[in-house]
Amino acid sequence: MFDFGDFYQIIAKNKLNSWLEVLPAQLANWQKQNLDSRVNQWLNSIKHLPAITPNQLDLLHSVTATMVQPLSTGEQQRISQLLKNMLPWRKGPFHLYGVHIDTEWRSDWKWERLINHIASLEGKMVLDVGCNSGYHLWRMIGAGAKLAVGIDPMALYLCQFEAIRKLLGNDKRAHLLPLGIEELPKLNAFDTVFSMGVLYHRRSPLDHLLQLKDQLVNGGQLVLETLVIDGKEHQALMPGERYAQMRNVYFIPSVPTMINWLHKCGFSEVKVVDISQTSLDEQRQTEWMTSESLADFLDPNDLTKTIEGYPAPIRAVFTATK
Ligand SMILES: C[S@@+](CC[C@H](N)C(=O)[O-])C[C@H]1O[C@@H](n2cnc3c(N)ncnc32)[C@H](O)[C@@H]1O
């Protein structure tokens, strides 16, 4: 069983308190539907992890926890084995007491590309939609956020997050709730809302933007990261069955189209702050994610194309104000 009691207590005292009208019932329902034998095995691994409070915790430059008295090789191996019960680890990396979770993605690179272009997170309440393992939640805390809330419907990612949290001294500044964005009421409460790597997975991208807007305070900032194509205003790619082997990709806009969508949804001060081609160093197979990765999704004879013949992944970061 997952216990969200600490989160309920925190939000009872802040402007998220109206969420309590629906949240406990939603999460109880999620637990009923998701507590299968696999999740119980992951929960068991979390239970066996040591509860460690780091002497030093760096969330500003990386996610790195250290102890004055280093863990023995045996203790490191035990932690590593328990965490490897929760493969695949996609978003990271995490450096915990000598254990290096070398995830499929260098999520720190995405963070470095955007952090100098967004409104300060100092003292802010922030929401990360589609937060996966919660890697960026910890970086948001490192950038000064007072509360970082992530949502992601997948049980594995909640387990990975809770495992990391336990190894970070049960830190209660970041929280992950197993929900989809479509399940959130209109909270109008977060200073900054992040949606990174989610928009192209949504059947209706404009509805996604409106749902994100409903979570922001007036004047709050949306930070949106998505796949884009090189193209003109009014252009978007709607791939066939698969894009870079992913089945659930619906719309990949050009940068001008994405700006247009944001304006259409009522956002102001829309800016594109980064455009980068995803490299084979940023997304790759590792011992923590042992199945196929970007190198297998590109045309081996032309790395500018996916194996389906579409343009290879380019990602852009946008900021916009409600
Ligand atoms: C490509 S990953 C992006 C992870 C992370 N935000 C990043 O940028 O590295 C997309 C994530 O969105 C989550 N997701 C899928 N459907 C969602 C939904 N309806 N609401 C919120 N998250 C969702 C997936 O489980 C997955 O972890």
Side-chain angles (χ1 to χ4, degrees), residues 91 110 130 132 152-154 157 180-182 196-198 202:
K91 312 293 177 175
K110 184 180 291 194
N132 203 270
D152 200 299
M154 305 297 290
Y157 304 139
I181 176 67
E182 61 285 358
M196 303 190 284
V198 179
R202 305 300 296 156

